[in-house]
Amino acid sequence: MGRILYLVLTWAWIFWGGFFFNAAQGAEIYKPAFKTFGIWNQEPLMRLDINLWYPTNRPARELNFSPWIINAAPAGSAAPGPFPLLVLSHSTAGTRYTYHDTASWLASQGFVVAAPTHPRDCMDNMDDLFTWDQITDRMDNIKTTIDFILKDREMSKIISLDKIGLLAYGAGGTAAFFLGGAVPDCALWPGWCKKVGRENPYCRAYMREKIDKMCKAFPKMTADKRIRAIVMVAPVYGMLFGPGSFGKYATPTLVIATGKDSFNERELNSEHLAKFLGAKAQYLELANADAGSLMAPCPPILAQELPELCLSVSEEERNKIHRVLYNAIKAFFDRYLVGKSGGN
């Protein structure tokens, strides 16, 4: 716990005192460009829709992808590269549009960002929830997204093949651990509910039966060595990881916890996993953040349908959280992908 506290204080000094770079001032190095793709996965057969943000020098404007409004240059010519590629994996409650403000900002800072909608684990379809398919399908979606973007005639010209990162939220963070080289270990699950209490969401009868089933048989996990750095925000399924999970894990990783997530408590997920990773990962807690605060502001129709998610924080608080989040993401990927630190 001492090391985690030290890292929290270190990150706080970096953001509020040491260097507070472009995100704090809203400075753009480039303008964000935007385009969408739709491809078919063959095994299993399903459509994978991907949003792509990338640096351009063309002016941005409002783009209407109802109900979402995005500020970007539509399919604009890319700025001269090369740039790192980031795959953005949304949470179960999200889609490829949910974090569009984060993706757009990263593009303005010199990153290519590809965000797929996970077909069976998204706002519109949660058929895979609490199954290994939820995790392994996400892993396949992420690998397929990398394959597709690297083969794209235009994008392949501006992407650094050895500078690929993963920005993952929620269940995306769980998939990210396995893509980084972790293996499942349910050693802690038999005593989990006794320790945390039956009121824990995962310990209610329906979900407990699902986790029991997941812990009876593990799929074969294959890491993707193309991924050189991972930022995971509020990863879930802490009980699927134990003492044997991270022996061969070597991918530079930043684990970001949300202090006010009532479903995926920090102590049982992000902090729990960071302790197992030890010196293999950095840790940051966003004390006032929950799942909804990480998202882009919801369009009015979504805010009406999902007020508990879309309106969980004020816009002022959302902006504060995003400012720290953006700084953390950029500082980490600058160090491990771009090869610089301190925002210089």
Side-chain angles (χ1 to χ4, degrees), residues 189-222:
W189 175 240
W192 185 273
C193 292
K194 185 176 181 180
K195 179 181 178 181
V196 304
R198 296 288 176 177
E199 293 305 309
N200 181 270
Y202 290 105
C203 296
R204 295 168 188 165
Y206 170 77
M207 285 184 257
R208 190 171 66 248
E209 290 175 6
K210 290 279 192 175
I211 303 297
D212 283 342
K213 187 173 182 180
M214 293 180 74
C215 285
K216 286 179 180 177
F218 297 150
K220 182 179 179 180
M221 297 298 187
T222 304

PDB file of all heavy atoms in Angstrom, residues 189-222:
ATOM      1  N   TRP A 189     -10.984 -16.386  -5.576  1.00  0.00           N
ATOM      2  CA  TRP A 189     -12.435 -16.336  -5.723  1.00  0.00           C
ATOM      3  C   TRP A 189     -13.195 -17.164  -4.674  1.00  0.00           C
ATOM      4  O   TRP A 189     -14.225 -16.688  -4.154  1.00  0.00           O
ATOM      5  CB  TRP A 189     -12.855 -16.780  -7.126  1.00  0.00           C
ATOM      6  CG  TRP A 189     -14.338 -16.865  -7.325  1.00  0.00           C
ATOM      7  CD1 TRP A 189     -15.059 -17.964  -7.668  1.00  0.00           C
ATOM      8  CD2 TRP A 189     -15.297 -15.817  -7.167  1.00  0.00           C
ATOM      9  NE1 TRP A 189     -16.392 -17.680  -7.746  1.00  0.00           N
ATOM     10  CE2 TRP A 189     -16.568 -16.351  -7.443  1.00  0.00           C
ATOM     11  CE3 TRP A 189     -15.198 -14.465  -6.833  1.00  0.00           C
ATOM     12  CZ2 TRP A 189     -17.737 -15.596  -7.384  1.00  0.00           C
ATOM     13  CZ3 TRP A 189     -16.372 -13.709  -6.771  1.00  0.00           C
ATOM     14  CH2 TRP A 189     -17.622 -14.271  -7.044  1.00  0.00           C
ATOM     15  N   PRO A 190     -12.753 -18.390  -4.298  1.00  0.00           N
ATOM     16  CA  PRO A 190     -13.539 -19.143  -3.311  1.00  0.00           C
ATOM     17  C   PRO A 190     -13.794 -18.390  -2.015  1.00  0.00           C
ATOM     18  O   PRO A 190     -14.846 -18.553  -1.392  1.00  0.00           O
ATOM     19  CB  PRO A 190     -12.671 -20.395  -3.070  1.00  0.00           C
ATOM     20  CG  PRO A 190     -11.930 -20.574  -4.353  1.00  0.00           C
ATOM     21  CD  PRO A 190     -11.619 -19.178  -4.817  1.00  0.00           C
ATOM     22  N   GLY A 191     -12.873 -17.555  -1.583  1.00  0.00           N
ATOM     23  CA  GLY A 191     -13.084 -16.798  -0.350  1.00  0.00           C
ATOM     24  C   GLY A 191     -13.444 -15.341  -0.569  1.00  0.00           C
ATOM     25  O   GLY A 191     -13.525 -14.559   0.391  1.00  0.00           O
ATOM     26  N   TRP A 192     -13.671 -14.958  -1.818  1.00  0.00           N
ATOM     27  CA  TRP A 192     -13.888 -13.557  -2.175  1.00  0.00           C
ATOM     28  C   TRP A 192     -15.115 -12.968  -1.487  1.00  0.00           C
ATOM     29  O   TRP A 192     -15.043 -11.921  -0.842  1.00  0.00           O
ATOM     30  CB  TRP A 192     -14.022 -13.455  -3.700  1.00  0.00           C
ATOM     31  CG  TRP A 192     -14.134 -12.077  -4.264  1.00  0.00           C
ATOM     32  CD1 TRP A 192     -15.263 -11.342  -4.436  1.00  0.00           C
ATOM     33  CD2 TRP A 192     -13.060 -11.258  -4.755  1.00  0.00           C
ATOM     34  NE1 TRP A 192     -14.984 -10.132  -5.019  1.00  0.00           N
ATOM     35  CE2 TRP A 192     -13.626 -10.048  -5.223  1.00  0.00           C
ATOM     36  CE3 TRP A 192     -11.693 -11.431  -4.868  1.00  0.00           C
ATOM     37  CZ2 TRP A 192     -12.868  -9.032  -5.778  1.00  0.00           C
ATOM     38  CZ3 TRP A 192     -10.925 -10.416  -5.427  1.00  0.00           C
ATOM     39  CH2 TRP A 192     -11.511  -9.234  -5.870  1.00  0.00           C
ATOM     40  N   CYS A 193     -16.254 -13.643  -1.619  1.00  0.00           N
ATOM     41  CA  CYS A 193     -17.509 -13.094  -1.100  1.00  0.00           C
ATOM     42  C   CYS A 193     -17.545 -13.102   0.424  1.00  0.00           C
ATOM     43  O   CYS A 193     -18.156 -12.220   1.043  1.00  0.00           O
ATOM     44  CB  CYS A 193     -18.694 -13.868  -1.669  1.00  0.00           C
ATOM     45  SG  CYS A 193     -18.895 -13.608  -3.461  1.00  0.00           S
ATOM     46  N   LYS A 194     -16.879 -14.076   1.041  1.00  0.00           N
ATOM     47  CA  LYS A 194     -16.791 -14.079   2.496  1.00  0.00           C
ATOM     48  C   LYS A 194     -16.004 -12.875   2.980  1.00  0.00           C
ATOM     49  O   LYS A 194     -16.327 -12.266   4.010  1.00  0.00           O
ATOM     50  CB  LYS A 194     -16.138 -15.372   2.969  1.00  0.00           C
ATOM     51  CG  LYS A 194     -16.110 -15.532   4.474  1.00  0.00           C
ATOM     52  CD  LYS A 194     -15.535 -16.876   4.880  1.00  0.00           C
ATOM     53  CE  LYS A 194     -15.540 -17.034   6.396  1.00  0.00           C
ATOM     54  NZ  LYS A 194     -14.980 -18.350   6.814  1.00  0.00           N
ATOM     55  N   LYS A 195     -14.990 -12.489   2.210  1.00  0.00           N
ATOM     56  CA  LYS A 195     -14.137 -11.369   2.588  1.00  0.00           C
ATOM     57  C   LYS A 195     -14.819 -10.030   2.347  1.00  0.00           C
ATOM     58  O   LYS A 195     -14.768  -9.129   3.191  1.00  0.00           O
ATOM     59  CB  LYS A 195     -12.824 -11.439   1.815  1.00  0.00           C
ATOM     60  CG  LYS A 195     -11.863 -10.298   2.106  1.00  0.00           C
ATOM     61  CD  LYS A 195     -10.590 -10.433   1.280  1.00  0.00           C
ATOM     62  CE  LYS A 195      -9.652  -9.258   1.546  1.00  0.00           C
ATOM     63  NZ  LYS A 195      -8.408  -9.367   0.717  1.00  0.00           N
ATOM     64  N   VAL A 196     -15.461  -9.881   1.187  1.00  0.00           N
ATOM     65  CA  VAL A 196     -15.988  -8.565   0.809  1.00  0.00           C
ATOM     66  C   VAL A 196     -17.450  -8.372   1.186  1.00  0.00           C
ATOM     67  O   VAL A 196     -17.955  -7.256   1.165  1.00  0.00           O
ATOM     68  CB  VAL A 196     -15.812  -8.314  -0.715  1.00  0.00           C
ATOM     69  CG1 VAL A 196     -14.363  -8.452  -1.115  1.00  0.00           C
ATOM     70  CG2 VAL A 196     -16.684  -9.259  -1.552  1.00  0.00           C
ATOM     71  N   GLY A 197     -18.152  -9.460   1.488  1.00  0.00           N
ATOM     72  CA  GLY A 197     -19.549  -9.353   1.884  1.00  0.00           C
ATOM     73  C   GLY A 197     -20.507  -9.708   0.751  1.00  0.00           C
ATOM     74  O   GLY A 197     -20.223  -9.465  -0.426  1.00  0.00           O
ATOM     75  N   ARG A 198     -21.611 -10.267   1.107  1.00  0.00           N
ATOM     76  CA  ARG A 198     -22.595 -10.738   0.124  1.00  0.00           C
ATOM     77  C   ARG A 198     -23.271  -9.600  -0.627  1.00  0.00           C
ATOM     78  O   ARG A 198     -23.912  -9.811  -1.646  1.00  0.00           O
ATOM     79  CB  ARG A 198     -23.667 -11.586   0.821  1.00  0.00           C
ATOM     80  CG  ARG A 198     -23.119 -12.867   1.436  1.00  0.00           C
ATOM     81  CD  ARG A 198     -22.754 -13.885   0.380  1.00  0.00           C
ATOM     82  NE  ARG A 198     -22.140 -15.077   0.973  1.00  0.00           N
ATOM     83  CZ  ARG A 198     -21.783 -16.158   0.272  1.00  0.00           C
ATOM     84  NH1 ARG A 198     -21.991 -16.169  -1.031  1.00  0.00           N
ATOM     85  NH2 ARG A 198     -21.232 -17.184   0.872  1.00  0.00           N
ATOM     86  N   GLU A 199     -23.146  -8.372  -0.124  1.00  0.00           N
ATOM     87  CA  GLU A 199     -23.754  -7.240  -0.806  1.00  0.00           C
ATOM     88  C   GLU A 199     -22.912  -6.759  -1.987  1.00  0.00           C
ATOM     89  O   GLU A 199     -23.382  -5.955  -2.797  1.00  0.00           O
ATOM     90  CB  GLU A 199     -23.959  -6.080   0.180  1.00  0.00           C
ATOM     91  CG  GLU A 199     -24.990  -6.366   1.257  1.00  0.00           C
ATOM     92  CD  GLU A 199     -26.324  -6.788   0.658  1.00  0.00           C
ATOM     93  OE1 GLU A 199     -26.833  -6.074  -0.237  1.00  0.00           O
ATOM     94  OE2 GLU A 199     -26.863  -7.813   1.082  1.00  0.00           O
ATOM     95  N   ASN A 200     -21.676  -7.236  -2.071  1.00  0.00           N
ATOM     96  CA  ASN A 200     -20.860  -6.893  -3.231  1.00  0.00           C
ATOM     97  C   ASN A 200     -21.565  -7.353  -4.499  1.00  0.00           C
ATOM     98  O   ASN A 200     -22.104  -8.469  -4.540  1.00  0.00           O
ATOM     99  CB  ASN A 200     -19.493  -7.570  -3.112  1.00  0.00           C
ATOM    100  CG  ASN A 200     -18.582  -7.234  -4.287  1.00  0.00           C
ATOM    101  OD1 ASN A 200     -18.570  -7.926  -5.296  1.00  0.00           O
ATOM    102  ND2 ASN A 200     -17.824  -6.169  -4.149  1.00  0.00           N
ATOM    103  N   PRO A 201     -21.624  -6.505  -5.550  1.00  0.00           N
ATOM    104  CA  PRO A 201     -22.381  -6.867  -6.753  1.00  0.00           C
ATOM    105  C   PRO A 201     -22.014  -8.240  -7.325  1.00  0.00           C
ATOM    106  O   PRO A 201     -22.897  -8.969  -7.789  1.00  0.00           O
ATOM    107  CB  PRO A 201     -22.028  -5.741  -7.734  1.00  0.00           C
ATOM    108  CG  PRO A 201     -21.713  -4.579  -6.861  1.00  0.00           C
ATOM    109  CD  PRO A 201     -21.046  -5.151  -5.647  1.00  0.00           C
ATOM    110  N   TYR A 202     -20.727  -8.594  -7.289  1.00  0.00           N
ATOM    111  CA  TYR A 202     -20.314  -9.868  -7.863  1.00  0.00           C
ATOM    112  C   TYR A 202     -20.732 -11.056  -6.993  1.00  0.00           C
ATOM    113  O   TYR A 202     -20.633 -12.201  -7.433  1.00  0.00           O
ATOM    114  CB  TYR A 202     -18.801  -9.884  -8.058  1.00  0.00           C
ATOM    115  CG  TYR A 202     -18.322  -8.964  -9.151  1.00  0.00           C
ATOM    116  CD1 TYR A 202     -17.697  -7.764  -8.843  1.00  0.00           C
ATOM    117  CD2 TYR A 202     -18.509  -9.281 -10.498  1.00  0.00           C
ATOM    118  CE1 TYR A 202     -17.266  -6.905  -9.845  1.00  0.00           C
ATOM    119  CE2 TYR A 202     -18.081  -8.432 -11.501  1.00  0.00           C
ATOM    120  CZ  TYR A 202     -17.458  -7.244 -11.171  1.00  0.00           C
ATOM    121  OH  TYR A 202     -17.042  -6.401 -12.161  1.00  0.00           O
ATOM    122  N   CYS A 203     -21.165 -10.795  -5.777  1.00  0.00           N
ATOM    123  CA  CYS A 203     -21.509 -11.871  -4.860  1.00  0.00           C
ATOM    124  C   CYS A 203     -23.007 -12.138  -4.783  1.00  0.00           C
ATOM    125  O   CYS A 203     -23.452 -13.003  -4.013  1.00  0.00           O
ATOM    126  CB  CYS A 203     -20.948 -11.565  -3.473  1.00  0.00           C
ATOM    127  SG  CYS A 203     -19.130 -11.499  -3.454  1.00  0.00           S
ATOM    128  N   ARG A 204     -23.794 -11.411  -5.544  1.00  0.00           N
ATOM    129  CA  ARG A 204     -25.212 -11.716  -5.643  1.00  0.00           C
ATOM    130  C   ARG A 204     -25.384 -12.985  -6.468  1.00  0.00           C
ATOM    131  O   ARG A 204     -24.575 -13.283  -7.334  1.00  0.00           O
ATOM    132  CB  ARG A 204     -25.956 -10.536  -6.252  1.00  0.00           C
ATOM    133  CG  ARG A 204     -25.909  -9.304  -5.343  1.00  0.00           C
ATOM    134  CD  ARG A 204     -26.368  -8.050  -6.020  1.00  0.00           C
ATOM    135  NE  ARG A 204     -26.139  -6.872  -5.173  1.00  0.00           N
ATOM    136  CZ  ARG A 204     -26.172  -5.628  -5.593  1.00  0.00           C
ATOM    137  NH1 ARG A 204     -26.454  -5.373  -6.868  1.00  0.00           N
ATOM    138  NH2 ARG A 204     -25.918  -4.637  -4.753  1.00  0.00           N
ATOM    139  N   ALA A 205     -26.429 -13.724  -6.195  1.00  0.00           N
ATOM    140  CA  ALA A 205     -26.557 -15.099  -6.693  1.00  0.00           C
ATOM    141  C   ALA A 205     -26.307 -15.228  -8.188  1.00  0.00           C
ATOM    142  O   ALA A 205     -25.520 -16.079  -8.630  1.00  0.00           O
ATOM    143  CB  ALA A 205     -27.946 -15.631  -6.336  1.00  0.00           C
ATOM    144  N   TYR A 206     -26.964 -14.388  -8.989  1.00  0.00           N
ATOM    145  CA  TYR A 206     -26.852 -14.513 -10.447  1.00  0.00           C
ATOM    146  C   TYR A 206     -25.411 -14.340 -10.906  1.00  0.00           C
ATOM    147  O   TYR A 206     -24.880 -15.154 -11.666  1.00  0.00           O
ATOM    148  CB  TYR A 206     -27.753 -13.478 -11.119  1.00  0.00           C
ATOM    149  CG  TYR A 206     -27.540 -13.363 -12.623  1.00  0.00           C
ATOM    150  CD1 TYR A 206     -28.059 -14.318 -13.484  1.00  0.00           C
ATOM    151  CD2 TYR A 206     -26.805 -12.298 -13.163  1.00  0.00           C
ATOM    152  CE1 TYR A 206     -27.870 -14.219 -14.853  1.00  0.00           C
ATOM    153  CE2 TYR A 206     -26.614 -12.189 -14.522  1.00  0.00           C
ATOM    154  CZ  TYR A 206     -27.141 -13.151 -15.372  1.00  0.00           C
ATOM    155  OH  TYR A 206     -26.937 -13.055 -16.719  1.00  0.00           O
ATOM    156  N   MET A 207     -24.746 -13.278 -10.413  1.00  0.00           N
ATOM    157  CA  MET A 207     -23.390 -12.999 -10.866  1.00  0.00           C
ATOM    158  C   MET A 207     -22.385 -13.974 -10.263  1.00  0.00           C
ATOM    159  O   MET A 207     -21.410 -14.348 -10.903  1.00  0.00           O
ATOM    160  CB  MET A 207     -23.018 -11.551 -10.564  1.00  0.00           C
ATOM    161  CG  MET A 207     -23.688 -10.565 -11.496  1.00  0.00           C
ATOM    162  SD  MET A 207     -23.165  -8.864 -11.214  1.00  0.00           S
ATOM    163  CE  MET A 207     -24.554  -8.229 -10.322  1.00  0.00           C
ATOM    164  N   ARG A 208     -22.639 -14.400  -9.032  1.00  0.00           N
ATOM    165  CA  ARG A 208     -21.745 -15.372  -8.410  1.00  0.00           C
ATOM    166  C   ARG A 208     -21.720 -16.680  -9.206  1.00  0.00           C
ATOM    167  O   ARG A 208     -20.658 -17.271  -9.417  1.00  0.00           O
ATOM    168  CB  ARG A 208     -22.172 -15.631  -6.968  1.00  0.00           C
ATOM    169  CG  ARG A 208     -21.145 -16.437  -6.181  1.00  0.00           C
ATOM    170  CD  ARG A 208     -21.493 -16.498  -4.709  1.00  0.00           C
ATOM    171  NE  ARG A 208     -22.715 -17.245  -4.441  1.00  0.00           N
ATOM    172  CZ  ARG A 208     -23.846 -16.701  -3.998  1.00  0.00           C
ATOM    173  NH1 ARG A 208     -23.917 -15.396  -3.766  1.00  0.00           N
ATOM    174  NH2 ARG A 208     -24.912 -17.442  -3.781  1.00  0.00           N
ATOM    175  N   GLU A 209     -22.882 -17.105  -9.687  1.00  0.00           N
ATOM    176  CA  GLU A 209     -22.940 -18.318 -10.517  1.00  0.00           C
ATOM    177  C   GLU A 209     -22.162 -18.127 -11.812  1.00  0.00           C
ATOM    178  O   GLU A 209     -21.480 -19.052 -12.280  1.00  0.00           O
ATOM    179  CB  GLU A 209     -24.399 -18.656 -10.826  1.00  0.00           C
ATOM    180  CG  GLU A 209     -25.185 -19.150  -9.623  1.00  0.00           C
ATOM    181  CD  GLU A 209     -26.649 -19.344  -9.946  1.00  0.00           C
ATOM    182  OE1 GLU A 209     -27.029 -19.200 -11.133  1.00  0.00           O
ATOM    183  OE2 GLU A 209     -27.428 -19.628  -9.007  1.00  0.00           O
ATOM    184  N   LYS A 210     -22.233 -16.926 -12.387  1.00  0.00           N
ATOM    185  CA  LYS A 210     -21.498 -16.640 -13.622  1.00  0.00           C
ATOM    186  C   LYS A 210     -19.985 -16.696 -13.378  1.00  0.00           C
ATOM    187  O   LYS A 210     -19.234 -17.268 -14.181  1.00  0.00           O
ATOM    188  CB  LYS A 210     -21.892 -15.260 -14.155  1.00  0.00           C
ATOM    189  CG  LYS A 210     -23.297 -15.165 -14.716  1.00  0.00           C
ATOM    190  CD  LYS A 210     -23.325 -15.690 -16.133  1.00  0.00           C
ATOM    191  CE  LYS A 210     -24.618 -15.350 -16.832  1.00  0.00           C
ATOM    192  NZ  LYS A 210     -24.613 -15.761 -18.261  1.00  0.00           N
ATOM    193  N   ILE A 211     -19.527 -16.089 -12.283  1.00  0.00           N
ATOM    194  CA  ILE A 211     -18.096 -16.097 -11.986  1.00  0.00           C
ATOM    195  C   ILE A 211     -17.640 -17.513 -11.648  1.00  0.00           C
ATOM    196  O   ILE A 211     -16.540 -17.932 -12.049  1.00  0.00           O
ATOM    197  CB  ILE A 211     -17.763 -15.129 -10.835  1.00  0.00           C
ATOM    198  CG1 ILE A 211     -18.239 -13.704 -11.173  1.00  0.00           C
ATOM    199  CG2 ILE A 211     -16.262 -15.138 -10.549  1.00  0.00           C
ATOM    200  CD1 ILE A 211     -17.573 -13.087 -12.378  1.00  0.00           C
ATOM    201  N   ASP A 212     -18.466 -18.265 -10.926  1.00  0.00           N
ATOM    202  CA  ASP A 212     -18.139 -19.671 -10.646  1.00  0.00           C
ATOM    203  C   ASP A 212     -17.858 -20.426 -11.939  1.00  0.00           C
ATOM    204  O   ASP A 212     -16.885 -21.182 -12.044  1.00  0.00           O
ATOM    205  CB  ASP A 212     -19.298 -20.353  -9.916  1.00  0.00           C
ATOM    206  CG  ASP A 212     -19.375 -19.994  -8.436  1.00  0.00           C
ATOM    207  OD1 ASP A 212     -18.366 -19.508  -7.901  1.00  0.00           O
ATOM    208  OD2 ASP A 212     -20.451 -20.194  -7.838  1.00  0.00           O
ATOM    209  N   LYS A 213     -18.713 -20.207 -12.916  1.00  0.00           N
ATOM    210  CA  LYS A 213     -18.554 -20.893 -14.200  1.00  0.00           C
ATOM    211  C   LYS A 213     -17.276 -20.452 -14.905  1.00  0.00           C
ATOM    212  O   LYS A 213     -16.543 -21.259 -15.484  1.00  0.00           O
ATOM    213  CB  LYS A 213     -19.775 -20.623 -15.091  1.00  0.00           C
ATOM    214  CG  LYS A 213     -19.781 -21.425 -16.379  1.00  0.00           C
ATOM    215  CD  LYS A 213     -21.094 -21.233 -17.135  1.00  0.00           C
ATOM    216  CE  LYS A 213     -21.105 -22.083 -18.408  1.00  0.00           C
ATOM    217  NZ  LYS A 213     -22.384 -21.908 -19.151  1.00  0.00           N
ATOM    218  N   MET A 214     -16.971 -19.157 -14.856  1.00  0.00           N
ATOM    219  CA  MET A 214     -15.751 -18.653 -15.479  1.00  0.00           C
ATOM    220  C   MET A 214     -14.514 -19.260 -14.825  1.00  0.00           C
ATOM    221  O   MET A 214     -13.505 -19.535 -15.493  1.00  0.00           O
ATOM    222  CB  MET A 214     -15.691 -17.128 -15.390  1.00  0.00           C
ATOM    223  CG  MET A 214     -16.739 -16.402 -16.214  1.00  0.00           C
ATOM    224  SD  MET A 214     -16.640 -14.592 -16.070  1.00  0.00           S
ATOM    225  CE  MET A 214     -15.188 -14.238 -17.066  1.00  0.00           C
ATOM    226  N   CYS A 215     -14.579 -19.496 -13.520  1.00  0.00           N
ATOM    227  CA  CYS A 215     -13.410 -19.987 -12.793  1.00  0.00           C
ATOM    228  C   CYS A 215     -13.230 -21.500 -12.898  1.00  0.00           C
ATOM    229  O   CYS A 215     -12.220 -22.030 -12.431  1.00  0.00           O
ATOM    230  CB  CYS A 215     -13.500 -19.568 -11.325  1.00  0.00           C
ATOM    231  SG  CYS A 215     -13.126 -17.810 -11.066  1.00  0.00           S
ATOM    232  N   LYS A 216     -14.180 -22.201 -13.493  1.00  0.00           N
ATOM    233  CA  LYS A 216     -14.047 -23.644 -13.648  1.00  0.00           C
ATOM    234  C   LYS A 216     -13.211 -24.037 -14.858  1.00  0.00           C
ATOM    235  O   LYS A 216     -12.629 -25.127 -14.889  1.00  0.00           O
ATOM    236  CB  LYS A 216     -15.440 -24.285 -13.756  1.00  0.00           C
ATOM    237  CG  LYS A 216     -16.185 -24.339 -12.437  1.00  0.00           C
ATOM    238  CD  LYS A 216     -17.566 -24.953 -12.606  1.00  0.00           C
ATOM    239  CE  LYS A 216     -18.304 -24.986 -11.264  1.00  0.00           C
ATOM    240  NZ  LYS A 216     -19.693 -25.521 -11.414  1.00  0.00           N
ATOM    241  N   ALA A 217     -13.148 -23.169 -15.847  1.00  0.00           N
ATOM    242  CA  ALA A 217     -12.383 -23.498 -17.066  1.00  0.00           C
ATOM    243  C   ALA A 217     -11.863 -22.211 -17.690  1.00  0.00           C
ATOM    244  O   ALA A 217     -12.643 -21.320 -18.008  1.00  0.00           O
ATOM    245  CB  ALA A 217     -13.270 -24.246 -18.070  1.00  0.00           C
ATOM    246  N   PHE A 218     -10.534 -22.133 -17.851  1.00  0.00           N
ATOM    247  CA  PHE A 218      -9.915 -20.937 -18.412  1.00  0.00           C
ATOM    248  C   PHE A 218      -9.643 -21.123 -19.900  1.00  0.00           C
ATOM    249  O   PHE A 218      -9.145 -22.165 -20.319  1.00  0.00           O
ATOM    250  CB  PHE A 218      -8.583 -20.637 -17.724  1.00  0.00           C
ATOM    251  CG  PHE A 218      -8.684 -20.335 -16.264  1.00  0.00           C
ATOM    252  CD1 PHE A 218      -7.640 -20.647 -15.415  1.00  0.00           C
ATOM    253  CD2 PHE A 218      -9.819 -19.738 -15.730  1.00  0.00           C
ATOM    254  CE1 PHE A 218      -7.721 -20.369 -14.061  1.00  0.00           C
ATOM    255  CE2 PHE A 218      -9.909 -19.450 -14.381  1.00  0.00           C
ATOM    256  CZ  PHE A 218      -8.859 -19.779 -13.542  1.00  0.00           C
ATOM    257  N   PRO A 219      -9.944 -20.112 -20.715  1.00  0.00           N
ATOM    258  CA  PRO A 219      -9.544 -20.175 -22.125  1.00  0.00           C
ATOM    259  C   PRO A 219      -8.042 -19.943 -22.250  1.00  0.00           C
ATOM    260  O   PRO A 219      -7.401 -19.414 -21.330  1.00  0.00           O
ATOM    261  CB  PRO A 219     -10.326 -19.017 -22.759  1.00  0.00           C
ATOM    262  CG  PRO A 219     -10.513 -18.038 -21.635  1.00  0.00           C
ATOM    263  CD  PRO A 219     -10.633 -18.847 -20.380  1.00  0.00           C
ATOM    264  N   LYS A 220      -7.493 -20.322 -23.373  1.00  0.00           N
ATOM    265  CA  LYS A 220      -6.082 -20.042 -23.629  1.00  0.00           C
ATOM    266  C   LYS A 220      -5.945 -18.574 -24.001  1.00  0.00           C
ATOM    267  O   LYS A 220      -6.616 -18.081 -24.892  1.00  0.00           O
ATOM    268  CB  LYS A 220      -5.559 -20.911 -24.772  1.00  0.00           C
ATOM    269  CG  LYS A 220      -4.074 -20.697 -25.064  1.00  0.00           C
ATOM    270  CD  LYS A 220      -3.595 -21.590 -26.188  1.00  0.00           C
ATOM    271  CE  LYS A 220      -2.115 -21.338 -26.477  1.00  0.00           C
ATOM    272  NZ  LYS A 220      -1.616 -22.210 -27.590  1.00  0.00           N
ATOM    273  N   MET A 221      -5.083 -17.878 -23.300  1.00  0.00           N
ATOM    274  CA  MET A 221      -4.875 -16.456 -23.539  1.00  0.00           C
ATOM    275  C   MET A 221      -3.584 -16.244 -24.323  1.00  0.00           C
ATOM    276  O   MET A 221      -2.540 -16.809 -23.979  1.00  0.00           O
ATOM    277  CB  MET A 221      -4.799 -15.687 -22.219  1.00  0.00           C
ATOM    278  CG  MET A 221      -6.068 -15.744 -21.395  1.00  0.00           C
ATOM    279  SD  MET A 221      -7.458 -14.979 -22.281  1.00  0.00           S
ATOM    280  CE  MET A 221      -8.719 -15.008 -21.011  1.00  0.00           C
ATOM    281  N   THR A 222      -3.680 -15.452 -25.375  1.00  0.00           N
ATOM    282  CA  THR A 222      -2.511 -15.160 -26.201  1.00  0.00           C
ATOM    283  C   THR A 222      -2.229 -13.668 -26.171  1.00  0.00           C
ATOM    284  O   THR A 222      -3.051 -12.859 -26.587  1.00  0.00           O
ATOM    285  CB  THR A 222      -2.732 -15.613 -27.659  1.00  0.00           C
ATOM    286  OG1 THR A 222      -3.059 -17.003 -27.674  1.00  0.00           O
ATOM    287  CG2 THR A 222      -1.471 -15.385 -28.485  1.00  0.00           C
TER     288      THR A 222
END
